[in-house]
Amino acid sequence: MSNALQSVIKAIDELDFDNINNVVQICLDEGISPLSIIQDGICKGLDIVGEKFNTGEYFLADLVMAGEIVNEVMPNLKARMNSSDAVQKGKVVMATVKGDIHEIGKNIVCMLLDANGFEVIDLGIDVPAERIVNTVKEKKASFIGLSCLLSTMVGSIGEVVESLKREGLREKVRVFIGGACTSEQLKDEMGADVYSATAVDAVRTMEKMCGAMT
Ligand code: B12
């Protein structure tokens, strides 16, 4: 791995807010893609922060700081990923589930979908099932993307699926799930359609499904 990417990991790991823009710019100057900076730099750094939180070396305030550092650099990376000539492939309603306020992973998925020609309706964090389902109905969306990082909140995924059934919309929309505490098994337990481990996987699978739907 390049020294520049290592510096991004280190800046996140050490919660070095003042240096993050600098090290990300060095990566960009070296021709490293925004996607690689996110996946191989930022996400790896966040994994280390999560480990340190687990072992008691970092506290909640440190998690907050890690989130702020990522939010600081994302606009710059997002601006470089948007493709202006993208064709609209399908509508996706994205949300972090009720009870969960983690937004970084969801925002990355939104960015990638947007850059690849999907219309993204981002409802934000801690979103109740009814709001998600009402938006699907109103916008006639084909996909829902649910982000969940807290094991205690996985039931919120099931609530969205049940609410879709009640509204007679279950067959009209594909439900994707992702986030640190999700899995293939959880997808089956909650009655969702697709589990994607990364944002890139999610975009590829949606693109394939769009092809199959047309
Ligand atoms: C930063 C952080 C926070 C920040 C978030 C700031 C922000 N603006 O988002 C704050 C301070 C808010 C926070 C709070 C808490 N956190 Co926190 N947090 C983290 C940390 C360090 C990083 C999360 C992150 O952004 N990762 C990077 C992103 C890019 O990864 P990702 O979300 O997994 O996304 C990727 C894929 O999963 C996928 N993906 C994500 N979403 C979706 C959606 C779809 C549809 C698809 C297809 C794919 C997809 O694509 C992404 C890119 O490839 C993690 C540790 C970790 N390694 O995950 C803990 C972690 C998630 N938090 C944890 C905990 C316990 C908490 C708190 C309960 C702490 C507390 N005591 O209060 C609170 C919960 C508050 C709440 N109600 O939600 C635990 C969860 C344990 C569990 N299994 O339940 C973790 C795992 C830390 C740990 N090791 O213990 N946290």
Side-chain angles (χ1 to χ4, degrees):
M1 179 186 289
S2 81
N3 285 342
L5 273 177
Q6 302 264 24
S7 306
V8 172
I9 298 174
K10 188 161 176 269
I12 306 254
D13 172 16
E14 294 178 357
L15 305 171
D16 189 355
F17 188 96
D18 295 337
N19 204 22
I20 189 71
N21 278 315
N22 183 28
V23 289
V24 164
Q25 192 55 50
I26 293 172
C27 288
L28 291 167
D29 291 345
E30 285 187 8
I32 300 171
S33 71
L35 186 58
S36 175
I37 296 172
I38 292 169
Q39 285 202 318
D40 307 323
I42 292 173
C43 290
K44 295 234 159 75
L46 285 170
D47 283 344
I48 301 172
V49 172
E51 291 294 316
K52 288 188 172 175
F53 179 71
N54 261 345
T55 58
E57 189 179 333
Y58 276 172
F59 300 101
L60 187 58
D62 300 312
L63 290 188
V64 174
M65 178 52 103
E68 283 175 10
I69 292 173
V70 177
N71 285 338
E72 170 73 13
V73 282
M74 276 305 177
N76 185 11
L77 294 172
K78 183 176 190 311
R80 288 161 196 273
M81 279 169 75
N82 272 352
S83 53
S84 53
D85 55 352
V87 189
Q88 294 303 326
K89 290 178 183 157
K91 285 186 195 171
V92 189
V93 173
M94 286 289 304
T96 299
V97 297
K98 191 177 76 185
D100 191 334
I101 62 168
H102 294 87
E103 65 178 351
I104 298 168
K106 169 190 68 64
N107 290 348
I108 292 173
V109 178
C110 289
M111 264 166 57
L112 269 196
L113 286 170
D114 185 41
N116 283 280
F118 286 86
E119 182 181 335
V120 181
I121 301 137
D122 180 3
L123 297 180
I125 55 175
D126 188 16
V127 187
E130 303 72 50
R131 195 166 157 230
I132 295 170
V133 173
N134 286 340
T135 310
V136 168
K137 206 191 285 180
E138 185 193 324
K139 303 280 181 185
K140 298 191 169 44
S142 315
F143 300 101
I144 296 177
L146 300 175
S147 188
C148 183
L149 275 77
L150 293 180
S151 332
T152 47
M153 289 302 148
V154 295
S156 299
I157 297 173
E159 287 176 18
V160 175
V161 175
E162 288 310 312
S163 182
L164 283 171
K165 285 183 190 162
R166 276 198 302 277
E167 296 292 325
L169 291 169
R170 184 63 191 94
E171 300 311 318
K172 294 196 166 75
V173 64
R174 301 294 86 178
V175 180
F176 279 59
I177 63 165
C181 73
T182 60
S183 62
E184 277 293 332
Q185 190 190 335
L186 184 76
K187 174 207 80 179
D188 293 336
E189 284 169 13
M190 294 295 145
D193 297 303
V194 180
Y195 157 72
S196 297
T198 68
V200 175
D201 285 350
V203 174
R204 286 200 189 119
T205 310
M206 273 188 207
E207 282 181 327
K208 274 190 209 143
M209 286 181 155
C210 281
M213 278 154 57
T214 51

